[in-house]
Amino acid sequence: MQLTGSQILIECLKEQGVDTVFGYPGGAILNVYDELYLHPEIKHVLTSHEQGASHAADGYARSTGKVGVCFATSGPGATNLVTGIATAYMDSVPMVAITCNVGVSLLGKDSFQEIDITGITMPITKHNFIVKDVTKLADTIRRAFSIARNGRPGPVLIDIPKDVTANKTDYKKATIDFTRKLEEVDMDSVEAALKLIKASKKPYIFVGGGAVISEANAELKQFAELVDAPVCDTLMGKGAYDGTSVRYSGMLGMHGTKASNLGVSKCDLLIAIGTRFSDRVLGNAKTFAKNAKILQIDIDPAEINKNVVAFSSVVGDVKQILTIINEKLEQQNHKEWVEYVENLKEQFPLSYPKEGLSGPYIIENIFEQTKGDAIIVTEVGQHQMWAAQYYKYKSPRTLLTSGGLGTMGYGLGASIGAQTANPDRTVVNIAGDGCFRMNLNELATASREQLPLIEVIINNHVLGMVRQWQTLFYNKHYSATVLDDGADYVKVAEALGCKAKRVTTQEEFESAFAEALSSKKPYVIDCIIDSDDKVWPMVAPGKPINEAFDEADYKAKNS
């Protein structure tokens, strides 16, 4: 049958199982929105800004494992998606961003709101397309979704000139196979891995975001038991392994626990699963895990030996590889080594002052009141690290945060996406005041959609993480980091249709958060904490991770 490009786009979205699109209309994409109007089976969430739409699609994808979809028009509409696309690219999030451009005859002529969005996004997409021929549109959309979800996931952009959305061609419905396509695993590399594991006396398992993406939590739990090893993780790996497990020693790296940092520095085999060894994990790459052979398991061969040299590696899907290894591995016993790491945990626990309102207290209380079953979203900064340290993630897809790009302003849009996808779950966005003010306009979206998400602002009236670095490494030169400008976030939130409350004590926070949990509207809690609260422990930039220091160490050194 003959359909317009816009009709083909909507039909292809339905083929792909898309039930929600986040976007913002404009002239070039009007044909698409006119067709979308006739299809209420696809929910459209009108965000306040296109960046909010891209972050919402990201949050939808991270919380469900499905491909997130966002729409934007040409020119500035398309460029406003760029930060969200880059965020998804750095964290391997499956997303399809659909933009429309000026007509084919107007391309390259500096036409009104024309932009080369495929050129702009080429370095930050897994692939992108401009479709100048309507006969190729359906196949391009199907290919885009396949690329986004298969292998190492990532964002794909499709740019469609306006006349292509109006032109007609034959359309034939396709049946889509949603099974992830897995490459065959090299069994020689598996045997080499098994040999390393069996020879190890002090193995440590290090888990990254790839284990979350492949949904390998059950296989990972079995693997840790078989290897009889302690487990640490990255920021992106939270929830792949149960954070309440006795084997779990906390996050690794710059703001990781001393137990994990010291333990990894002593192990003889580091089994790295779905992690790319970012600089925030490594500290000084030359001294990282210097006593260990590194076994790296990752779906992307480009990550092998990129940041650290692996002694051995297995390339493929984490769930698939762990399933194979678990079938072949006999039960190992490392009782003394596991007890050694347990002692490190007891010797160097995470701690904070128990009096007064603080970031760690807020996070711990959120964990207690939600019983660890919430979807936690964060912005970027001190509050993000506290959320990683003090909330115990028991299952995957329960921490949504910008790890690779470190995008301030990410969280509120992402929480809108997560709450839309999971209407019966508690969704909490934890923000700093610096991040909150970047995209606070999306509170209007949450209010319009009547999403009962909870926005917790850990408000220290400064750019907290930057100030922490200025205190520790820049002689307390607080250049451009003080935000004490009289902004009233409670009034702003109420003006945008949300419930809101300001709190200054532990008791006030407990009461406000309990009220927020029972609210059917978006609820903002403005939590006033001290400007000089810091994230501990910390590894100074470029230093070995076994030189992590906490507040007591810092005071002793500088007394």
Side-chain angles (χ1 to χ4, degrees):
M1 62 181 156
Q2 288 258 313
L3 297 180
T4 66
S6 295
Q7 291 171 322
I8 289 170
L9 171 58
I10 299 301
E11 291 302 318
C12 285
L13 292 181
K14 289 160 63 177
E15 285 177 3
Q16 298 293 334
V18 174
D19 55 19
T20 307
V21 171
F22 304 89
Y24 205 98
I29 201 170
L30 268 179
N31 290 336
V32 172
Y33 271 85
D34 193 54
E35 184 60 29
L36 184 63
Y37 182 83
L38 303 175
H39 292 272
E41 65 271 29
I42 298 179
K43 178 181 176 63
H44 180 272
V45 177
L46 175 64
T47 54
S48 298
H49 190 281
E50 290 91 351
Q51 186 181 136
S54 60
H55 292 326
D58 176 304
Y60 178 99
R62 292 196 206 216
S63 66
T64 63
K66 299 194 293 185
V67 178
V69 180
C70 56
F71 282 178
T73 194
S74 61
T79 59
N80 283 342
L81 294 178
V82 168
T83 298
I85 293 170
T87 301
Y89 181 73
M90 290 290 282
D91 291 343
S92 303
V93 178
M95 178 197 295
V96 171
I98 296 168
T99 58
C100 288
N101 214 324
V102 300
V104 172
S105 64
L106 296 175
L107 291 172
K109 298 181 179 179
D110 293 332
S111 304
F112 177 66
Q113 290 196 332
E114 178 198 357
I115 200 75
D116 178 13
I117 193 61
T118 54
I120 289 170
T121 59
M122 188 175 294
I124 56 167
T125 51
K126 193 175 174 186
H127 200 85
N128 65 22
F129 304 88
I130 181 167
V131 186
K132 299 179 182 180
D133 182 349
V134 70
T135 65
K136 298 178 181 178
L137 182 59
D139 286 344
T140 300
I141 295 167
R142 292 162 186 156
R143 186 180 171 203
F145 274 84
S146 178
I147 291 170
R149 70 164 62 94
N150 283 301
R152 180 178 184 171
V156 178
L157 180 134
I158 310 169
D159 193 35
I160 312 170
K162 186 171 184 179
D163 52 344
V164 174
T165 67
N167 294 342
K168 288 188 173 184
T169 191
D170 288 328
Y171 163 78
K172 184 178 180 181
K173 185 175 180 178
T175 301
I176 307 301
D177 180 5
F178 293 104
T179 306
R180 288 186 70 206
K181 298 175 178 63
L182 301 178
E183 300 292 332
E184 188 173 342
V185 177
D186 175 39
M187 293 309 295
D188 287 342
S189 66
V190 170
E191 291 300 328
L194 286 164
K195 186 176 179 181
L196 272 179
I197 293 168
K198 291 174 184 178
S200 172
K201 304 297 183 185
K202 296 185 289 184
Y204 220 116
I205 297 170
F206 174 39
V207 182
V212 173
I213 292 167
S214 70
E215 299 183 338
N217 46 310
E219 291 76 14
L220 180 59
K221 179 182 180 181
Q222 183 185 0
F223 179 69
E225 296 296 327
L226 284 171
V227 178
D228 192 24
V231 181
C232 63
D233 58 16
T234 68
L235 178 67
M236 302 309 300
K238 292 288 176 186
Y241 190 79
D242 184 353
T244 66
S245 168
V246 67
R247 292 188 181 277
Y248 180 67
S249 63
M251 192 165 62
L252 183 71
M254 179 173 283
H255 292 295
T257 62
K258 278 191 174 184
S260 290
N261 286 354
L262 293 172
V264 165
S265 299
K266 291 283 188 180
C267 73
D268 65 5
L269 176 65
L270 184 63
I271 307 169
I273 301 174
T275 176
R276 58 187 177 84
F277 290 107
S278 80
D279 55 304
R280 289 299 175 102
V281 161
L282 294 178
N284 186 327
K286 293 180 181 178
T287 62
F288 178 77
K290 62 182 179 181
N291 298 307
K293 294 176 180 178
I294 293 176
L295 168 60
Q296 188 172 2
I297 300 171
D298 202 280
I299 198 167
D300 188 352
E303 292 298 342
I304 308 299
N305 299 323
K306 186 176 82 173
N307 293 330
V308 299
V309 176
F311 184 86
S312 187
S313 62
V314 188
V315 175
D317 177 76
V318 166
K319 186 183 183 81
Q320 182 183 17
I321 291 169
L322 290 182
T323 299
I324 295 170
I325 291 177
N326 288 345
E327 290 173 352
K328 293 177 173 290
L329 182 64
E330 302 91 358
Q331 179 65 53
Q332 306 296 297
N333 189 327
H334 303 109
K335 184 173 183 290
E336 289 185 9
W337 169 240
V338 171
E339 288 178 351
Y340 172 79
V341 176
E342 275 294 304
N343 289 334
L344 289 178
K345 288 164 60 179
E346 293 177 9
Q347 187 178 354
F348 302 110
L350 290 173
S351 64
Y352 62 92
K354 295 306 178 184
E355 66 282 352
L357 192 63
S358 67
Y361 173 81
I362 290 166
I363 304 301
E364 282 196 339
N365 189 258
I366 291 172
F367 176 78
E368 290 170 8
Q369 292 206 47
T370 61
K371 299 179 174 59
D373 294 328
I375 295 174
I376 301 297
V377 190
T378 81
E379 306 285 354
V380 172
Q382 288 180 314
H383 60 278
Q384 178 189 34
M385 294 297 101
W386 287 323
Q389 292 173 328
Y390 289 96
Y391 197 97
K392 297 176 179 65
Y393 300 92
K394 299 183 289 186
S395 56
R397 305 195 183 283
T398 52
L399 174 63
L400 317 182
T401 191
S402 173
L405 195 62
T407 304
M408 294 175 70
Y410 162 83
L412 184 50
S415 64
I416 287 169
Q419 188 74 83
T420 302
N422 303 272
D424 297 326
R425 297 286 298 275
T426 297
V427 176
V428 183
N429 182 44
I430 298 168
D433 49 323
C435 294
F436 175 67
R437 62 175 60 202
M438 286 194 169
N439 281 333
L440 60 82
N441 53 346
E442 295 304 338
L443 285 180
T445 307
S447 178
R448 184 190 317 111
E449 295 291 324
Q450 288 296 290
L451 299 173
L453 61 87
I454 304 172
E455 177 84 4
V456 175
I457 308 169
I458 298 181
N459 186 352
N460 53 12
H461 295 99
V462 294
L463 298 178
M465 187 60 85
V466 184
R467 181 184 177 90
Q468 177 165 331
W469 279 54
Q470 288 172 333
T471 300
L472 299 179
F473 310 119
Y474 289 87
N475 298 314
K476 299 184 179 180
H477 295 168
Y478 300 126
S479 176
T481 51
V482 178
L483 303 178
D484 195 6
D485 50 15
D488 189 328
Y489 299 136
V490 170
K491 288 182 179 178
V492 169
E494 290 175 341
L496 292 174
C498 305
K499 292 185 177 181
K501 188 166 287 187
R502 181 174 294 108
V503 300
T504 59
T505 68
Q506 294 180 0
E507 294 76 16
E508 287 176 348
F509 177 77
E510 290 177 26
S511 174
F513 192 79
E515 184 178 316
L517 283 172
S518 62
S519 174
K520 301 300 182 184
K521 295 182 67 175
Y523 199 115
V524 177
I525 308 175
D526 186 18
C527 309
I528 309 303
I529 70 166
D530 191 273
S531 297
D532 284 310
D533 282 0
K534 294 178 178 62
V535 179
W536 303 111
M538 182 173 187
V539 177
K543 295 292 185 179
I545 60 171
N546 62 351
E547 294 183 16
F549 61 95
D550 57 23
E551 186 171 20
D553 298 326
Y554 176 72
K555 287 180 176 179
K557 184 178 179 181
N558 292 277
S559 60

